[in-house]
Amino acid sequence: MYRIPILQMGQVLLVTIQLDMQDQMALALQDDLANKISTTGAKGVMIDISALEIVDSFVGRMLASISGISRILDATTVVVGMQPAVAITLVELGLSLEGVRTALNVERGMELLAHSRKGGPLAR
């Protein structure tokens, strides 16, 4: 099974999803990220989904779950690059992705994570 790479950039873990995620791949990513946050002490997780054209309800719930797990492990998660069609689909499925921070692109996502780490109003 293909595993999604997790890159470390200082205190931030970067995940770029380049292909449509299958259920097993999403579960593996959840486990891999939890382990990587724990071993590195990362304070931020950025998940770039700009290449995804389709997100089903399972993957939507997994993004919310990853965000919750990260929060418990003292890391902030930001999902970046969501296509308009993906956002529409998530709303139509009734998935609000509560607790998941989003940004239009990687640059804005990094700003959001930096602001969160400095204790700004976006910090937990």
Side-chain angles (χ1 to χ4, degrees), residues 53-106:
E53 295 181 17
I54 298 171
V55 173
D56 63 14
S57 61
F58 180 78
V59 173
R61 286 192 310 273
M62 290 308 300
L63 289 173
S65 178
I66 287 170
S67 180
I69 291 167
S70 298
R71 198 167 32 255
I72 290 170
L73 294 172
D74 195 30
T76 302
T77 300
V78 177
V79 175
V80 300
M82 188 177 301
Q83 300 287 338
V86 170
I88 291 167
T89 300
L90 289 173
V91 170
E92 288 174 348
L93 291 171
L95 297 173
S96 64
L97 298 185
E98 193 162 325
V100 178
R101 294 190 173 112
T102 60
L104 289 177
N105 55 42
V106 172

Side-chain angles (χ1 to χ4, degrees), residues 41-60:
K43 296 297 180 188
V45 175
M46 185 174 330
I47 302 174
D48 180 0
I49 63 169
S50 58
L52 293 184
E53 295 181 17
I54 298 171
V55 173
D56 63 14
S57 61
F58 180 78
V59 173

